[in-house]
Amino acid sequence: MPLRKDAAQNRRHIVEIARRYVDEGKPLQLNDVARTASIGVATVYRHFPTPEALLEAVALPALEELVRRAGQASTEPDPWTALHDFLAAAIETMLADPAVPPVFAAATTSLEHTGDLRRGLVTAFAQLLSRAHAAGVIDPAVTEADMTPLMCGIAYAAKVHNTLGPAEQAATGLRYLDLLLTGVRRP
């Protein structure tokens, strides 16, 4: 059932305020978001029962874009390029949107749509990795379970130096990804 116009506006405003909090590195406390948004606390809780649900709502546009980029990668005829392009998009997303890494790292999701997107990304990655294995362009010993923490490590390593701006972090992350992929690539 669609939201009433005023409820939809409140929801958008809450997500906008939460987006600012996340971008500024502030803790995402629902009472604080309500106060900043000048919206009743009960209204915020009605839309987002937990801070995790609100964080997922903030991350949704980036996750949806990453799913779109996974779809693009799946149409790439070269398995190596397809895998590289998807992993590069994932690194760029993790570095560009501070809401994404904790949503990926969470054991569960609060919003059904977030769960669907995460499952879609896992499936897309598995298919791209499987294609690369079948083509013989990646070490057959490399698994999804290996790549997930390595990708998180790349994002962390690129962000650890707070003196780097967003463009430098992205370039560093992509350079680290290329180094990693060079190590697992088969000629």
Side-chain angles (χ1 to χ4, degrees):
M1 181 166 114
L3 292 174
R4 290 184 338 258
K5 185 177 179 180
D6 62 328
Q9 287 173 333
N10 281 341
R11 183 180 177 88
R12 275 192 304 278
H13 188 55
I14 293 164
V15 172
E16 288 169 5
I17 297 299
R19 169 89 268 164
R20 272 194 268 152
Y21 271 55
V22 170
D23 290 345
E24 294 170 5
K26 293 180 181 177
L28 201 55
Q29 301 298 321
L30 298 182
N31 291 359
D32 295 341
V33 171
R35 189 172 23 267
T36 302
S38 299
I39 293 175
V41 172
T43 300
V44 174
Y45 278 87
R46 203 169 20 259
H47 287 286
F48 304 102
T50 65
E52 293 79 16
L54 181 52
L55 183 64
E56 288 176 26
V58 170
L60 278 177
L63 294 174
E64 290 168 341
E65 175 62 16
L66 187 53
V67 166
R68 188 190 68 72
R69 296 208 36 205
Q72 284 179 325
S74 71
T75 65
E76 166 60 50
D78 177 54
W80 179 258
T81 301
L83 180 64
H84 178 276
D85 289 355
F86 173 70
L87 294 177
I91 289 294
E92 289 169 348
T93 300
M94 287 191 290
L95 291 173
D97 189 339
V100 171
V103 169
F104 271 137
T108 61
T109 58
S110 299
L111 305 176
E112 185 178 339
H113 188 51
T114 307
D116 293 343
L117 292 172
R118 279 187 12 175
R119 283 185 293 281
L121 290 168
V122 168
T123 299
F125 173 60
Q127 291 169 346
L128 293 168
L129 186 60
S130 180
R131 275 183 61 204
H133 280 140
V137 296
I138 194 167
D139 185 334
V142 174
T143 67
E144 294 171 59
D146 296 327
M147 291 300 292
T148 300
L150 291 171
M151 293 293 289
C152 292
I154 288 170
Y156 175 79
K159 275 198 164 285
V160 75
H161 302 291
N162 290 334
T163 58
L164 297 179
E168 293 89 0
Q169 286 179 355
T172 299
L174 293 175
R175 189 167 68 77
Y176 291 167
L177 175 64
D178 286 342
L179 291 169
L180 169 69
L181 292 178
T182 298
V184 298
R185 187 170 189 175
R186 291 284 185 241

